[in-house]
Amino acid sequence: MVKESTLEHQLRLLFALQNIDNGLDELHELKGDLPQIVSELTEKAQTLRRRKAELEETSKHSIVQRNEADGEIVALKEKIEKYKTQQFQVKTNKQYDMLTREIDMTQGRVAKLTKELEILEGTAITAKTDAEALAPEIELAETELSERQTELDTVNKEHEEEELRLRHEREKVAVRIVKSDLAAYEKIRRAKDGKAVVPVKRNACGGCFNRVPPQKVLELRKLNAMLTCERCGRILVPDEIVHNTTALE
Ligand SMILES: [Zn+2]
């Protein structure tokens, strides 16, 4: 007798849990894709802002390097002028040739730096242009995000109390269900579109609507064992439990 009553009690709890989950599923349905959309837009806006900051940093860094190269070129050109002046003053051919070599080397260095400077300038301009081009894209993503966030906040606020109540109730019910039954329930729920526990209505499974043999319906009423639909595998509950779900004590 104790065993039977325990089974009945477990079935009642499972059916109650299913009803709570139905309520939570409905709330979830109301939110639709909004949570997913908000999360994706948040990610998108963040990525775009990060990319823009990186480009701005590249542009700034390239300008600093460009200015350094520019300063070096000015200094090297002064050096060349100095060498040229010295060439007028030297006494020997050897000294003159030495200065010519110095001038050639320095001019080579200037040419190399000038090329580098042009590349840096190009990098700075491209990065700046790319960063600026991202601005409207970021604005668009942020506007869309803020709109969708507001929508989600509204839906959440509207059903906040109900959701909290259901979650609280779910916790209370779930802890009283035998762990293996709860695991089975969750597994069926995942596999069967959220419905793990269904009533038998007019000798048919309330989940897949296939006929339940009369023998099984009788057995079900006796509450001797936990029975599942032969077709869909959902846990079946008899009328007595369906019509008396609130009495959980
Ligand atoms: Zn079924």
Side-chain angles (χ1 to χ4, degrees):
M1 282 315 281
V2 173
K3 205 184 161 204
E4 277 175 18
S5 111
T6 305
L7 180 74
E8 186 183 337
H9 190 61
Q10 284 298 304
L11 278 177
R12 270 187 211 291
L13 288 169
L14 282 169
F15 190 64
L17 189 68
Q18 180 68 70
N19 282 333
I20 294 165
D21 279 338
N22 289 348
L24 284 167
D25 288 348
E26 271 172 41
L27 290 181
H28 190 75
E29 198 89 341
L30 284 173
K31 290 181 199 175
D33 295 339
L34 273 176
Q36 175 74 12
I37 290 170
V38 165
S39 141
E40 278 169 10
L41 283 169
T42 305
E43 176 77 32
K44 188 182 173 187
Q46 263 170 7
T47 306
L48 287 171
R49 277 197 301 266
R50 205 181 307 127
R51 179 86 191 108
K52 187 167 180 275
E54 277 167 11
L55 286 166
E56 281 164 354
E57 186 53 40
T58 300
S59 176
K60 235 161 74 184
H61 188 64
S62 300
I63 286 167
V64 169
Q65 282 185 307
R66 178 219 170 273
N67 290 344
E68 273 170 18
D70 201 27
E72 212 177 319
I73 289 167
V74 171
L76 289 172
K77 278 182 177 168
E78 278 169 15
K79 228 177 191 175
I80 291 167
E81 289 313 308
K82 213 176 85 194
Y83 292 147
K84 280 182 180 167
T85 313
Q86 281 173 355
Q87 275 184 327
F88 286 111
Q89 294 156 356
V90 293
K91 303 281 188 291
T92 66
N93 277 344
K94 200 184 165 195
Q95 282 175 319
Y96 187 89
D97 289 346
M98 224 175 73
L99 283 166
T100 304
R101 275 200 302 276
E102 283 295 330
I103 289 166
D104 285 349
M105 260 170 59
T106 314
Q107 268 165 349
R109 177 93 186 111
V110 168
K112 191 171 171 272
L113 280 169
T114 305
K115 201 168 224 172
E116 277 174 20
L117 184 143
E118 278 164 14
I119 291 168
L120 286 164
E121 230 165 42
T123 305
I125 290 167
T126 307
K128 191 168 179 271
T129 312
D130 288 352
E132 280 166 0
L134 282 176
E137 224 178 304
I138 291 170
E139 206 188 314
L140 198 72
E142 278 175 347
T143 307
E144 206 182 339
L145 172 61
S146 127
E147 279 168 13
R148 294 308 196 130
Q149 184 68 65
T150 308
E151 266 178 67
L152 181 60
D153 287 347
T154 310
V155 180
N156 276 340
K157 212 177 150 110
E158 249 174 69
H159 304 283
E160 203 175 28
E161 244 173 73
E162 172 76 349
E163 190 169 347
L164 274 176
R165 187 186 68 76
L166 285 171
R167 289 206 180 285
H168 183 64
E169 212 173 301
R170 191 186 200 282
E171 266 172 48
K172 279 199 308 190
V173 172
V175 293
R176 293 161 69 190
I177 298 171
V178 177
K179 269 202 177 109
S180 55
D181 286 351
L182 189 61
Y185 169 88
E186 301 286 13
K187 200 176 158 203
I188 303 170
R189 214 173 104 75
R190 274 195 299 275
K192 297 289 167 189
D193 207 22
K195 303 272 186 290
V197 180
V198 290
V200 174
K201 279 180 193 162
R202 286 189 288 278
N203 293 344
C205 164
C208 68
F209 307 109
N210 272 291
R211 193 171 162 273
V212 178
Q215 183 63 33
K216 200 163 191 170
V217 177
L218 279 177
E219 244 179 274
L220 194 65
R221 290 209 182 109
K222 286 187 202 154
L223 289 165
N224 281 335
M226 195 176 282
L227 300 176
T228 52
C229 170
E230 282 160 24
R231 272 297 183 86
C232 68
R234 290 182 175 99
I235 299 162
L236 300 170
V237 288
D239 277 349
E240 298 90 294
I241 283 174
V242 175
H243 295 129
N244 194 13
T245 47
T246 44
L248 288 172
E249 298 315 313

